[in-house]
């Protein structure tokens, strides 16, 4: 079929997505074709745009935070059918590999093919542009009204849930919420700090709140974001820098410092680690969720305190979520009014406005921008 798609031809600081006419093959084997209702504008596509991933395939179809309706299935699809509503997950879950069977499907071995650009089923492209194959970012590609994905990348959800909100749970919400809850092992009554209150951090605030943290300090240089974190998402205090947060956390805890910290800034910096780590106390856990440059190796940490306070620095992918189990759970929390999704959407766009969406993201105007596709 013919459709349109936002393609990236070459990554770099000045790169832009261009809207192109493309063709999309039917799903093969275990694949499904999805008519997308919406795609979130996640920071990871900005990392893709400027070249953090160092991919050697072009053109590339961006977007990985989508939800929609299945309109076609391949002949080996076993657990989905036409008409099902699905959230796409940027890590597939095969259900068989060691991480999957041990409850860590966010680390599914199928993720090894995440940046191959071609179908994991047969190693060929589904999208074509001017005779060339188009790579699909993280096996998805949601900057297009239709996409074809492996059934392991699609999680069936209840049809009563609005798809434009469900889309957000495919990446930013699960990643952020999981950072503040599952990945951080948050306990009731904990004091928590969230460094960076964008699309991930705002959900880390929610994760800490739902997991039982009673004091949550939101840290971001932009006042409107920390105000929103307090007004809508459950933060109890706010600071414009980690230095300012240090005094607040010290006062709140009688200098025992925080139990948990979520590091969720747009670009993870090794130079932030030492300061962030100084905000947690004995048995403190810091979860590092940001995407850093692939070549980044620099981080300083107080090794003496690490041992003597029994602290932990943890990396977390997808908030340590198990997408197939946790995406439906998160959507139930939304239906019960516990998880806020509507409040995350700052602005909606058409596909043609995708670059404007990223300009707004970089200008600090959005918690989440969302592309809406027409019916
Ligand atoms: Zn994302
Ligand atoms: Zn697996």
């Amino acid at each position: 079929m013919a459709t349109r798609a936002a393609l990236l031809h070459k990554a770099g600081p000045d790169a832009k997505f261009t809207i192109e006419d493309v063709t999309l093959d039917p799903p093969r084997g275990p694949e499904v074709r999805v008519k997308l209702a919406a795609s979130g504008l996640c920071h990871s596509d900005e990392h893709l745009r400027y070249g953090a991933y160092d991919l050697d395939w072009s053109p590339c179809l961006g977007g990985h935070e989508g939800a929609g309706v299945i309109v076609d299935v391949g002949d080996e699809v076993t657990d989905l059918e036409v008409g099902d509503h699905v959230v796409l997950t940027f890590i597939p879950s095969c259900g068989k590999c060691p991480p999957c069977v041990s409850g860590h499907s966010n680390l599914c071995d199928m993720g090894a093919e995440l940046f191959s650009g071609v179908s994991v089923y047969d190693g060929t492209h589904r999208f074509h542009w001017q005779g060339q194959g188009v790579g699909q970012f993280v096996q998805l590609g949601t900057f297009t009204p239709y996409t074809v994905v492996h059934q392991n990348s699609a999680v069936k959800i209840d049809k009563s849930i609005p798809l434009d909100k469900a889309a957000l749970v495919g990446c930013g919400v699960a990643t952020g919420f999981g950072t503040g809850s599952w990945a951080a092992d948050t306990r009731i009554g904990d004091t928590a700090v969230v460094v960076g209150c964008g699309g991930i951090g705002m959900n880390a605030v929610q994760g800490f709140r739902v997991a039982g943290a009673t004091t949550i300090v939101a840290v971001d240089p932009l006042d409107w974001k920390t105000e929103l974190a307090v007004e809508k998402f459950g933060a109890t205090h706010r600071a414009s820098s980690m230095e300012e947060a240090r005094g607040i956390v010290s006062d709140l805890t009688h200098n025992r410092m925080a139990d948990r910290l979520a590091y969720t800034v747009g670009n993870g910096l090794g130079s932030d680690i030492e300061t962030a780590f100084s905000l947690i106390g004995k048995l403190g856990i810091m979860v590092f969720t940001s995407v850093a440059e692939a070549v980044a190796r620099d981080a300083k940490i107080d090794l003496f305190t690490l041992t003597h306070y029994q602290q932990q620095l943890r990396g977390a992918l997808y908030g340590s979520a198990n997408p197939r189990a946790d995406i439906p759970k998160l959507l139930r929390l939304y239906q019960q009014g516990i998880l806020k999704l509507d409040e995350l959407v700052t602005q909606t766009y058409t596909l043609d406005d995708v670059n404007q969406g990223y300009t707004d993201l970089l200008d600090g105007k959005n918690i989440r921008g969302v592309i809406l596709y027409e019916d």
Side-chain angles (χ1 to χ4, degrees), residues 42-44 64-65 171-172 368:
C42 177
H43 208 121
S44 301
H64 64 282
E65 201 178 72
C171 179
R368 219 12 144 226

Side-chain angles (χ1 to χ4, degrees), residues 178-189:
T179 296
S181 54
W182 304 307
D185 280 333
T186 300
R187 308 239 175 152
I188 292 167

Side-chain angles (χ1 to χ4, degrees), residues 195-245:
V195 179
C197 293
I200 306 295
M202 214 59 95
N203 289 299
V205 170
Q206 301 207 76
F208 279 129
R209 171 176 53 80
V210 174
T214 42
T215 304
I216 303 169
V217 182
V219 184
D220 198 285
L222 296 175
D223 281 347
W224 75 270
K225 290 188 178 180
T226 52
E227 281 166 13
L228 198 65
V230 170
E231 284 167 19
K232 303 281 188 191
F233 297 104
T236 56
H237 299 78
R238 54 196 204 90
S240 59
S241 67
M242 287 194 278
E243 288 70 25
E244 187 188 349

Side-chain angles (χ1 to χ4, degrees), residues 24 26 46 110 112 151 175 200 237 251 257 319 328 340 354 369:
L24 176 58
E46 165 58 17
M110 277 184 82
Q151 63 177 348
T175 300
I200 306 295
H237 299 78
D251 285 349
M257 305 310 285
K340 313 285 183 196
V354 60

Side-chain angles (χ1 to χ4, degrees), residues 10 24 60 100 118 120 128 139 141 146 158 174 186 196 207-208 218 232 249 264 276 300 314 326-327 349 358:
K10 186 165 173 43
L24 176 58
C60 173
C100 275
V118 291
V120 288
H128 305 274
Q139 300 287 341
Y146 290 90
D158 195 286
T186 300
F208 279 129
K232 303 281 188 191
V249 174
T264 50
K300 275 190 181 172
R314 298 180 177 179
D326 292 330
I327 286 174
Y349 302 89
Y358 278 102

